[in-house]
Amino acid sequence: MTNRMQFYIDGSWVDPAVKKSIPVVNPATEEAMYEIAVGSKADVDKAVAAARRAFETFSQTSREERVALLEKIIAVYKTRMKDIGAAVSDEMGAPLPMAEKMQAGAGLGHLASTLEVLKSYQFEEPIGSAVVVREPVGVIGMITPWNWPLNQIACKVAPAIAAGCTMILKPSEYTPSSALIFAEILHEAGVPKGVFNLINGLGPDVGVAMSEHPGIDMISFTGSTRAGIDVAKRAANTVKRVSQELGGKSPNIILDDADFTKAVAGGVAHMFNNSGQSCNAPSRMIVPQAKIKEIAAIAKAVADKTKAGDPRAEGTTIGPVVNRIQWDKIQGLIQKGIDEGATLVAGGPGLPEGVNKGFYVRPTIFSDVTSDMTIANEEIFGPVLVIMGAKDEAEAVKIANDTPYGLAGYVSAGTVERARKVGRQIRAGNVNLNGVPNERTAPFGGYKQSGNGREWGKFGLEEYLEAKAIAGFNAA
């Protein structure tokens, strides 16, 4: 039974400094499932002290020791995949098969890819008479979101361990159980005490205390751009490193020589995956103006087959969004799209047909959307796609880059050469051509207001390393 009323600090389950709890609500039923303890600055102080003590020894461990530790974590993680999937499904609404395979699977994938990077990474490099040594940054504060909980936890914790850092994790208060299971996994795998610490809590309490804490050397934050700005401001007084992966409003350019049926259907399905709750979701489909009606019809056919329903029911495509706040925000933006004159192709406001409770959103598509409309600019974070027309390739690129965000971009074309040409022009950290998914060992992160750090693979490991130049090391 997962212990939700304690925190994991210094290798043990401990009571919070102040007894305080909040309910965790199942978004499919709108009912509270259980309570979790929430922390305070005193808990952060305790966790930081443990992490600083542990850093003295863990930072000096060998590559071989950290390889063996990650291998053990992976072995234990594999035994808890179903537990993780069930927790994610209950707490944020992902359909159970998707939660077990994709949500839990994403965490396993990052652990495995980090292990492979660690095995061959060069921590020392000779440059002239100097040697450049890559050393662990120190104590890391990690703040993770609810939409892909294990993906974000694992792609921070795994490289931090690989680098020799110690850490304090504050997972989202909406998805605490999967994070607590992750703590159980690390404990069973024999992670030394103080290396990994977990405190559940709220952003204004635990998040603020971590961002401002002089004993934390780096903050790794994934979440909204608004919250990321606040974290960076609070971290500035202690000049700690801040690595951020923030929001997005990602363009999906479908060129006139693309296979429309394949590209449009794939783009819509990708947008609706995880109920549209992905920071890199292809939320703006930019298509040839002359073909917009044809493309809208293809998109509508996909939306009509997308079933929003009980995450544990067979045949469910997408579950609810995470909570009432998100549901209300999405409903307001759908109505805004209608009010501002976009063409409603599928879905719309209100609950899906046959549903009378739960935070379900109708799979919604707007067409004839222009760049001045709210739904073309704001990150909706729900199953809502906007289709925008462009007269030619140049205008499509211009529309794609006309956003303060720059996390991802997508291009479909008749030839890979043309897709490459357009993809190079998109101002984003990740660009996918002709439906090819992300490469887990390539960097993930954003331009502009989508963030300033990189995760995954070698690039993720290097976020947790400092470069030290020792001149004269190689002198004759």
Side-chain angles (χ1 to χ4, degrees):
M1 187 70 181
T2 299
N3 183 348
R4 300 185 178 94
M5 299 308 293
Q6 290 184 310
F7 306 139
Y8 187 74
I9 297 176
D10 207 17
S12 301
W13 293 98
V14 299
D15 291 331
V18 178
K19 285 197 173 182
K20 184 180 176 184
S21 65
I22 59 170
V24 177
V25 173
N26 185 322
T29 64
E30 303 185 40
E31 295 173 1
M33 296 181 287
Y34 36 72
E35 299 269 323
I36 60 160
V38 289
S40 62
K41 183 180 181 299
D43 299 299
V44 174
D45 289 341
K46 186 175 182 179
V48 171
R52 295 221 71 84
R53 287 192 301 271
F55 183 72
E56 295 299 317
T57 51
F58 192 66
S59 62
Q60 301 304 307
T61 54
S62 67
R63 178 205 309 270
E64 291 71 27
E65 288 173 297
R66 298 197 295 276
V67 163
L69 184 56
L70 280 174
E71 287 175 339
K72 181 61 175 173
I73 292 168
I74 289 168
V76 178
Y77 189 102
K78 288 176 178 177
T79 70
R80 302 296 301 273
M81 294 274 282
K82 283 194 173 294
D83 296 338
I84 291 167
V88 171
S89 181
D90 286 346
E91 292 180 343
M92 61 78 62
L96 186 59
M98 181 265 193
E100 290 179 353
K101 183 179 179 181
M102 295 177 68
Q103 292 273 6
L108 180 62
H110 288 302
L111 289 165
S113 64
T114 301
L115 171 62
E116 292 309 307
V117 169
L118 176 59
K119 287 177 179 178
S120 61
Y121 186 78
Q122 297 301 309
F123 287 93
E124 296 189 7
E125 176 190 3
I127 299 180
S129 72
V131 65
V132 176
V133 181
R134 299 279 186 172
E135 297 183 336
V137 167
V139 175
I140 316 298
M142 301 173 174
I143 301 173
T144 57
W146 47 262
N147 59 322
W148 286 90
L150 263 296
N151 177 76
Q152 291 302 331
I153 289 171
C155 76
K156 296 181 192 302
V157 172
I161 287 175
C165 294
T166 59
M167 65 216 75
I168 301 101
L169 170 68
K170 188 204 91 65
S172 170
E173 64 271 24
Y174 298 115
T175 51
S177 292
S178 56
L180 292 166
I181 293 168
F182 189 80
E184 292 171 358
I185 291 167
L186 268 57
H187 182 79
E188 185 178 340
V191 172
K193 69 177 188 176
V195 169
F196 173 85
N197 305 273
L198 182 151
I199 302 170
N200 277 315
L202 305 177
D205 300 320
V206 176
V208 165
M210 288 170 61
S211 301
E212 296 178 344
H213 205 292
I216 291 179
D217 301 295
M218 170 180 164
I219 292 285
S220 179
F221 174 85
T222 300
S224 71
T225 298
R226 176 196 55 76
I229 291 168
D230 185 68
V231 166
K233 286 179 177 178
R234 293 179 184 279
N237 286 334
T238 50
V239 201
K240 57 171 58 75
R241 184 183 297 185
V242 178
S243 180
Q244 299 178 323
E245 194 262 280
L246 307 175
K249 191 70 177 175
S250 300
N252 181 8
I253 296 177
I254 299 176
L255 296 167
D256 55 13
D257 61 346
D259 179 338
F260 288 166
T261 301
K262 180 181 176 183
V264 174
V268 176
H270 188 174
M271 180 61 230
F272 289 164
N273 185 45
N274 207 40
S275 299
Q277 299 172 123
S278 299
C279 49
N280 64 337
S283 54
R284 292 182 297 141
M285 185 177 284
I286 303 166
V287 306
Q289 184 66 56
K291 301 288 186 178
I292 198 164
K293 282 188 167 50
E294 175 187 341
I295 285 169
I298 297 169
K300 175 177 166 50
V302 178
D304 289 346
K305 291 177 183 174
T306 302
K307 180 174 171 49
D310 183 346
R312 296 198 175 226
E314 196 171 332
T316 293
T317 310
I318 60 173
V321 296
V322 70
N323 56 37
R324 170 67 64 184
I325 294 169
Q326 287 295 119
W327 192 88
D328 287 342
K329 175 195 168 189
I330 295 163
Q331 295 301 312
L333 286 164
I334 290 172
Q335 189 59 51
K336 195 86 168 173
I338 294 168
D339 294 344
E340 292 183 358
T343 301
L344 183 63
V345 173
L351 291 169
E353 190 175 336
V355 174
N356 56 19
K357 66 176 178 179
F359 307 126
Y360 295 96
V361 176
R362 298 172 68 191
T364 297
I365 296 173
F366 285 100
S367 187
D368 304 309
V369 176
T370 55
S371 294
D372 59 338
M373 292 181 182
T374 305
I375 56 173
N377 292 286
E378 286 199 27
E379 184 179 33
I380 299 172
F381 227 61
V384 181
L385 172 69
V386 303
I387 301 176
M388 308 174 74
K391 67 177 184 290
D392 55 25
E393 182 182 297
E395 187 177 42
V397 170
K398 183 179 179 183
I399 293 169
N401 290 331
D402 185 20
T403 172
Y405 296 111
L407 185 58
Y410 303 83
V411 181
S412 292
T415 64
V416 70
E417 290 79 13
R418 191 178 181 198
R420 286 173 185 154
K421 173 176 172 275
V422 173
R424 285 182 181 275
Q425 297 175 69
I426 295 176
R427 298 283 297 166
N430 298 87
V431 178
N432 301 69
L433 308 182
N434 289 336
V436 175
N438 284 330
E439 182 66 50
R440 195 171 266 129
T441 52
F444 184 87
Y447 287 18
K448 300 186 279 186
Q449 291 186 29
S450 287
N452 54 18
R454 291 295 180 270
E455 296 182 317
W456 304 10
K458 178 185 78 166
F459 300 86
L461 174 60
E462 289 179 342
E463 288 286 318
Y464 298 96
L465 296 171
E466 295 277 21
K468 177 196 284 183
I470 307 176
F473 191 93
N474 293 324

